[in-house]
Amino acid sequence: MLRKHTYSTMHPCVSLFLLCNIAYVRAIQCARTQDEWNKASASLKCQEPTYYHCLRDENGIMTQKCLERVWIQNGMCPEFNSRVDRIDVFQCQSDKNVCPNTIFWSNAVYIYPICYDKTIPTTTINSSAILLTSTETQVP
C-alpha cells in the first residue's frame, strides 16, 4: 500500500538538492576580444541565420545564445529580453568616450565592453509618499 505524504515545509532532500544546484552555478563571462568571441562561438555551434551572442538580460544576468543578429544604433547597447526571447537595446551611459559611436551588428558587442557593464536601476518607494484612504458612502 502506498502512503501519501504531505509536508508543511520543503522536504530536507529537496532543500539539499536546491542548495547543491546553487553551489555549482557558474557565472558567464562574455568574451572581450575577437579571438575569445570566436572560441565561444565555436563551442555553441550556431548556424545561420543565427549567430553567437553573449548578452546581458533585463535582469543583469549574462546569457549565451544563438540569435539572429540585428543592427544596433550608435549610442545604444544590445540586451537580451528573456520575456520575448529577442534582442532589445538600452541607452549606453558613460562619462567616458567608450559608448558605441556607430551602428554595429548585435553579435559584435564585444567591441564595446561598456555594454556588459550596465547597472540595473533600482527604484525605491518612500512609504510616507503613499497614502491609501478609504471612504464609505451610504446610498439612500
Side-chain angles (χ1 to χ4, degrees):
M1 179 170 130
L2 295 174
R3 295 172 117 186
K4 185 175 180 179
H5 293 281
T6 310
Y7 298 100
S8 59
T9 60
M10 190 178 292
H11 190 275
C13 293
V14 174
S15 299
L16 181 60
F17 176 73
L18 291 175
L19 289 174
C20 291
N21 273 349
I22 292 170
Y24 292 106
V25 171
R26 186 180 69 113
I28 295 172
Q29 180 70 22
C30 291
R32 304 262 176 162
T33 67
Q34 185 172 5
D35 187 47
E36 290 175 1
W37 193 266
N38 291 339
K39 287 177 185 173
S41 178
S43 69
L44 209 54
K45 299 178 183 172
C46 299
Q47 296 180 355
E48 285 191 44
T50 65
Y51 294 85
Y52 171 78
H53 284 78
C54 188
L55 301 170
R56 183 176 300 279
D57 73 6
E58 70 278 1
N59 299 309
I61 299 169
M62 301 305 265
T63 184
Q64 297 180 59
K65 290 188 128 337
C66 295
L67 300 164
E68 289 189 32
R69 63 186 182 175
V70 297
W71 286 110
I72 306 299
Q73 295 178 336
N74 62 328
M76 305 298 277
C77 289
E79 173 179 79
F80 180 68
N81 185 327
S82 63
R83 287 179 233 120
V84 293
D85 204 36
R86 290 216 145 134
I87 297 173
D88 277 344
V89 295
F90 66 90
Q91 181 76 43
C92 180
Q93 308 238 342
S94 176
D95 296 338
K96 303 170 190 136
N97 191 19
V98 292
C99 288
N101 58 4
T102 185
I103 62 170
F104 64 99
W105 283 114
S106 56
N107 65 319
V109 68
Y110 65 87
I111 297 169
Y112 303 103
I114 187 72
C115 292
Y116 295 135
D117 300 332
K118 177 186 176 193
T119 56
I120 305 300
T122 58
T123 305
T124 57
I125 298 174
N126 182 348
S127 60
S128 63
I130 299 173
L131 178 62
L132 300 176
T133 60
S134 170
T135 58
E136 291 182 29
T137 56
Q138 218 172 16
V139 180

